[in-house]
Amino acid sequence: AEKDSVVKKLRTGLAAILESYKITVYTGEAKVNPDKTVFTGEALLEAKKVILATGSRPKKLELPGSESKRILNSDDIFELKEIPKELIIVGAGPISLEIATIYRAFGSKVTMVSHSPKILKKLDGDISKEVERIIKRKGIKLIKSAKLESFKEKENTIQLHLEGQTLEGEYILVAIGQEPVTEAVKELNLATKNSTIRVNEFLETSLDWIYAPGDINGISMSAHAAYMMGQLAAENAVTGAKKKF
């Protein structure tokens, strides 16, 4: 309830800011067309420039049994009404570690599973080792270089079958990264890189009238970076500036 209250307050505040600047908001699933029009589901808008800020969503792990409702992503995990006694987390990146330490502090028995031999694999090795030492000291179990095979739901628990062992908990969180949300421009054949929208230093896509700041370009999937990219893309699009990110 507290989480929902905070989210509602933030959304209400942002809506008020948009209204104060006389910005019209359309709600729906938008589609960007090659003729520089945007269909919102209720209106067809003409645009000189488009800023594509659709963000990202949690990646899914396609394994046998992955359709179970006891398998959660980083959005679902905060909808739980009770703290699970045992939580298994697949992934060892920033989101996984944040949630692991939160639920461990709440009293859950937490086991983290990673296919990589190193946690936080994009960071310096010394940082990775220090974070690993800290989470172990907190009582979080860590299994590295794991080979995941399947999930199996039981009556009140779910199992994760690895090569050589089976883990069991009330829920499994899959936090193996984010993937960009690109459905709005799927017919434009924008240049991509590893499923993200490719942009130049000005945050322009392969169509110079479309800018793509934030998670969708894969440069840095963090809120702080997205905020700065959004500001820069807006300035470049509206004023014609060529400010670099």
Side-chain angles (χ1 to χ4, degrees):
E2 178 65 21
K3 184 265 296 181
D4 293 337
S5 174
V6 171
V7 170
K8 183 179 180 180
K9 184 176 180 180
L10 290 171
R11 285 177 173 168
T12 302
L14 289 171
I17 292 172
L18 292 173
E19 185 177 359
S20 72
Y21 281 98
K22 296 181 169 53
I23 295 172
T24 303
V25 177
Y26 294 87
T27 302
E29 295 185 6
K31 177 188 175 185
V32 184
N33 301 309
D35 62 355
K36 296 187 180 181
T37 59
V38 179
F39 182 61
T40 69
E42 60 180 82
L44 186 65
L45 311 175
E46 294 184 1
K48 292 181 179 179
K49 302 284 185 178
V50 171
I51 294 178
L52 190 65
T54 50
S56 64
R57 58 183 161 231
K59 286 183 180 178
K60 294 181 180 180
L61 185 58
E62 300 296 341
L63 288 176
S66 60
E67 71 283 352
S68 170
K69 292 184 179 180
R70 289 190 173 271
I71 298 175
L72 311 174
N73 61 35
S74 54
D75 294 333
D76 305 327
I77 189 75
F78 294 108
E79 299 298 328
L80 294 178
K81 303 302 181 184
E82 297 180 356
I83 303 301
K85 294 179 180 178
E86 295 186 341
L87 176 65
I88 300 167
I89 298 178
V90 177
I95 294 175
S96 306
L97 287 163
E98 287 177 3
I99 296 175
T101 52
I102 289 170
Y103 274 86
R104 180 63 189 138
F106 288 161
S108 298
K109 178 183 177 182
V110 178
T111 301
M112 295 186 67
V113 179
S114 173
H115 75 279
S116 173
K118 173 187 171 185
I119 67 170
L120 296 172
K121 61 183 180 181
K122 292 184 178 180
L123 299 185
D124 181 85
D126 289 340
I127 296 175
S128 175
K129 290 177 183 177
E130 179 62 16
V131 173
E132 182 174 334
R133 185 186 67 80
I134 291 170
I135 63 171
K136 286 182 176 178
R137 191 175 64 198
K138 291 179 179 291
I140 297 171
K141 183 179 179 181
L142 177 62
I143 300 173
K144 298 184 292 184
S145 301
K147 293 184 179 180
L148 286 67
E149 295 181 341
S150 64
F151 302 105
K152 184 177 181 180
E153 184 173 345
K154 303 187 78 174
E155 186 175 354
N156 296 308
T157 61
I158 185 167
Q159 293 179 333
L160 170 59
H161 295 283
L162 309 175
E163 185 178 76
Q165 64 176 310
T166 297
L167 305 176
E168 189 167 342
E170 288 184 54
Y171 292 96
I172 294 176
L173 166 68
V174 173
I176 55 174
Q178 300 286 112
E179 62 181 13
V181 177
T182 60
E183 283 81 358
V185 292
K186 63 182 179 180
E187 295 182 8
L188 297 184
N189 295 317
L190 294 175
T192 59
K193 180 180 179 182
N194 299 327
S195 79
T196 62
I197 301 297
R198 186 190 293 272
V199 295
N200 61 19
E201 64 267 40
F202 310 119
L203 299 174
E204 296 171 331
T205 68
S206 54
L207 294 176
D208 61 7
W209 53 277
I210 298 180
Y211 294 75
D215 286 6
I216 194 169
N217 65 40
I219 293 174
S220 176
M221 288 193 173
S222 71
H224 307 291
Y227 184 86
M228 293 303 298
M229 282 190 270
Q231 285 187 317
L232 190 148
E235 184 172 354
N236 286 348
V238 173
T239 69
K242 289 290 184 179
K243 291 192 175 181
K244 298 180 180 180
F245 179 75

